[in-house]
Amino acid sequence: GRHFYVGSGTNAVFTLTRVKLTGGYKDEDITTNGQRGGSIYHQRGKVVVIDSWFFNNRAYGGGAIFVEAYGGDVTLELIDTNVTNNQATHSSGSGGGILAGDSSYAHTVTMSGGELSHNEAGKNGGGVSCGDAYATVSCTFTNVLIKQNTAPSGSGGGVFIGSDSNVQMRQVTFEDNSAASGRQVYRLSDDSAAYAIVNSKVVNAPSDTSNFMNVDPSCASSPCTVAPFTSTCSVDAPGIVCQCGTDSSG
């Protein structure tokens, strides 16, 4: 079954350090929220995971982690942690690695360091789905490898950006992700979804428009503002877009 359910106390902090969470599962044929999150089902408070590994977990949605914000705001913080080989098994299940969003409360997900790789979703967001259920979701990825995730029947092989979301990706490497639409990133064509891609690059991907859907991957003529770059990013409302160092030739 599932490893952890975190659901009591709006100020509670649950911390995991140097653990391997593998083989967690929920019954993938039952399409309810309780069947999401193969390893962690996170409804309240804050979860911090440091120097750990989510491997080979599965669920209807959110193969490794489901962040729901039930009855209060939630925060998930992943530090130097790998989320690999997890699966959202149902055809309508999103977030092969991580699924965030299913209520009007604030969902905050941050991932710094580590990788999000080899995850698969039956619907959207092979690696991660931010805001798939029209919730208020903020996702920030810094210095993360997003590699070989897939959503073969859906959108966003690496990252899916839903409505009312704010997704920031800085110093991210996208490598060989795949999906029916938007290999690396797919954003719903809805102006309520903001995004930024800064100091990031794409490797081992076709050099065409299929990598980013409803996301402008251009860097214009200016370098980025995040170190080591010092100039001004181009601005494309509703988000800042500056994808520097792109290498789509592999």
Side-chain angles (χ1 to χ4, degrees):
R2 177 188 295 127
H3 298 125
F4 297 104
Y5 166 70
V6 183
S8 62
T10 56
N11 297 318
V13 178
F14 178 61
T15 302
L16 294 168
T17 303
R18 294 182 179 177
V19 296
K20 179 180 179 181
L21 297 172
T22 184
Y25 70 93
K26 293 304 292 183
D27 295 330
E28 57 265 28
D29 292 332
I30 304 174
T31 57
T32 65
N33 281 358
Q35 303 306 315
R36 295 174 174 177
S39 182
I40 294 179
Y41 181 15
H42 182 195
Q43 282 193 316
R44 299 286 290 275
K46 182 176 183 178
V47 171
V48 180
V49 185
I50 303 168
D51 193 18
S52 296
W53 187 17
F54 293 89
F55 176 77
N56 197 31
N57 302 285
R58 70 183 194 275
Y60 151 57
I65 304 171
F66 175 41
V67 183
E68 184 186 15
Y70 180 79
D73 299 346
V74 294
T75 298
L76 170 68
E77 185 175 356
L78 304 177
I79 302 169
D80 295 328
T81 291
N82 297 330
V83 181
T84 63
N85 291 84
N86 303 284
Q87 185 178 17
T89 55
H90 197 274
S91 60
S92 61
S94 294
I98 303 168
L99 170 62
D102 196 63
S103 73
S104 59
Y105 292 95
H107 306 63
T108 301
V109 176
T110 64
M111 184 173 183
S112 55
E115 67 179 68
L116 193 64
S117 67
H118 300 90
N119 302 290
E120 180 176 351
K123 189 181 179 184
N124 299 323
V128 58
S129 177
C130 295
D132 192 41
Y134 299 91
T136 303
V137 178
S138 173
C139 292
T140 302
F141 301 93
T142 305
N143 191 27
V144 175
L145 173 63
I146 301 179
K147 176 181 179 179
Q148 292 185 359
N149 302 284
T150 183
S153 300
S155 302
V159 179
F160 179 87
I161 304 173
S163 295
D164 299 315
S165 300
N166 188 327
V167 179
Q168 310 288 316
M169 291 164 277
R170 302 178 186 277
Q171 296 172 312
V172 169
T173 298
F174 299 96
E175 181 175 351
D176 199 23
N177 300 288
S178 63
S181 182
R183 287 189 180 97
Q184 315 305 327
V185 179
Y186 182 97
R187 169 180 167 266
L188 283 181
S189 53
D190 181 338
D191 283 346
S192 64
Y195 62 94
I197 304 174
V198 179
N199 280 20
S200 298
K201 65 180 180 179
V202 180
V203 298
N204 294 334
S207 181
D208 57 35
T209 59
S210 65
N211 286 301
F212 297 89
M213 295 298 294
N214 304 320
V215 173
D216 181 358
S218 67
C219 191
S221 58
S222 300
C224 300
T225 56
V226 176
F229 302 101
T230 57
S231 296
T232 303
C233 286
S234 60
V235 176
D236 176 26
I240 298 172
V241 181
C242 194
Q243 183 187 325
C244 292
T246 301
D247 177 10
S248 56
S249 66

